[in-house]
Amino acid sequence: MSTSTRRGFLGFVSASAAGLLPTGARAASEQPAASSEPACILTPQAEEGPFYVDPKLVRTDITEGKPGIPLTLKLRVIEAGPCTAISGARVDIWHCDAKGLYSAFPGQSDSHNVDATGKTFLRGTQMTDEAGWVTFDTIYPGWYDGRTTHIHFKVFLGQATVLTGQTYFPDALNEFIYTNVPDYGDRARQRAILNVNDGVIAHSDPEHRAFCAVKEERDRYVASLTLGVDRRANATVGRVGPPPPPGRRGGPPPGPPPAGGPMFGRQIKDRLAALVPGLKPRR
């Protein structure tokens, strides 16, 4: 695919994703001051999952040499309701690498045979500035069995965890990257869990309020999201502990199913329609 075609496609994907995002997520990419837009609603909590540790690494660049497409993640912390920026909040993020591996844990990879114990790649902490912003330089996350593409985050005020959540990416962009960029390829099988059948999204974020806005720049993608928090919250959500044993199939434990029935693992009958918002399924 030519450079112009690739950029045109990715520009379309990014613009489409931004247009479909809630106002709060789109506003983040413009780095506004406090506003009265719907960004002031609470960001949904999501499970912490089994892969959180606190390596106490205050840093902007969290890549540690991991290969992948450069990504800058910008998060803005505001108080839901009054929409005021919160300075001095601690923000932790962590995510898997291009092949779906998390640092700090054993039992990684499609075969669950890679031990990343003692590693700290793709983890870091920042403190929000006066406008409520933190910035991390990382790589575009990969995927692993059982989950769609995501980045975890936690927000602390003092000793209290006021938000535990995850942010998600446009699936057409995910698919393009995983299909065309060598760092993300050579996997044992095709990913089966997309945004539309991810159990965590279905349970905790059906309105897609935690989906980030993605912009393509000359040498990287820039993803941004505004996080609305409640100062009074104490929000440690979901499991804390080791990943499943190496013999477990399906990767890390899925999120709880929505009230309407199990969503995790639902078979995708029309992959293209599942990847592109608004595209009608083929008959």
Side-chain angles (χ1 to χ4, degrees):
M1 179 178 288
S2 69
T3 301
S4 60
T5 302
R6 181 185 68 84
R7 290 184 64 87
F9 171 81
L10 297 180
F12 165 77
V13 169
S14 299
S16 299
L20 290 166
L21 288 170
T23 303
R26 294 199 305 272
S29 64
E30 299 167 4
Q31 299 198 7
S35 83
S36 58
E37 295 297 320
C40 305
I41 61 177
L42 286 170
T43 298
Q45 305 279 352
E47 66 170 43
E48 181 180 274
F51 291 113
Y52 178 67
V53 296
D54 175 15
K56 296 179 172 57
L57 294 173
V58 179
R59 56 184 182 174
T60 298
D61 189 338
I62 64 173
T63 57
E64 294 191 11
K66 277 289 181 177
I69 296 175
L71 174 74
T72 294
L73 178 65
K74 297 182 177 182
L75 301 173
R76 187 179 190 227
V77 181
I78 65 170
E79 186 167 6
C83 297
T84 51
I86 299 179
S87 63
R90 170 186 163 187
V91 180
D92 287 9
I93 73 165
W94 68 102
H95 65 86
C96 68
D97 69 4
K99 298 294 189 182
L101 281 68
Y102 282 90
S103 62
F105 289 91
Q108 301 289 297
S109 84
D110 292 335
S111 301
H112 304 287
N113 60 359
V114 175
D115 188 351
T117 303
K119 306 295 185 180
T120 57
F121 58 82
L122 305 179
R123 298 178 181 273
T125 296
Q126 284 283 293
M127 306 298 289
T128 57
D129 62 18
E130 291 185 358
W133 288 97
V134 292
T135 299
F136 293 92
D137 290 325
T138 183
I139 60 170
Y140 201 94
W143 63 277
Y144 53 93
D145 282 344
R147 288 303 315 279
T148 192
T149 306
H150 62 283
I151 292 179
H152 295 268
F153 56 80
K154 289 169 74 78
V155 180
F156 302 84
L157 291 179
Q159 299 300 312
T161 306
V162 294
L163 178 62
T164 299
Q166 302 176 23
T167 188
Y168 310 98
F169 294 78
D171 236 345
L173 179 56
N174 296 335
E175 189 82 347
F176 183 87
I177 288 172
Y178 300 154
T179 303
N180 291 276
V181 180
D183 289 334
Y184 297 83
D186 192 25
R187 300 295 295 271
R189 50 193 165 271
Q190 185 181 51
R191 65 187 182 116
I193 304 302
L194 310 178
N195 291 342
V196 298
N197 67 334
D198 181 81
V200 176
I201 292 177
H203 177 74
S204 63
D205 192 19
E207 297 180 351
H208 290 195
R209 286 190 279 135
F211 278 58
C212 58
V214 181
K215 182 176 66 171
E216 182 182 5
E217 294 192 346
R218 182 181 60 82
D219 60 348
R220 67 187 53 245
Y221 287 107
V222 177
S224 53
L225 180 67
T226 295
L227 306 177
V229 305
D230 180 356
R231 288 180 178 271
R232 301 164 297 179
N234 191 350
T236 298
V237 180
R239 293 173 297 274
V240 180
R248 177 188 171 95
R249 297 182 63 185
M263 195 74 171
F264 171 73
R266 178 170 62 84
Q267 184 177 4
I268 300 297
K269 296 181 179 179
D270 188 334
R271 193 173 184 87
L272 185 60
L275 290 167
V276 181
L279 189 65
K280 294 181 179 179
R282 294 170 288 187
R283 297 184 181 276

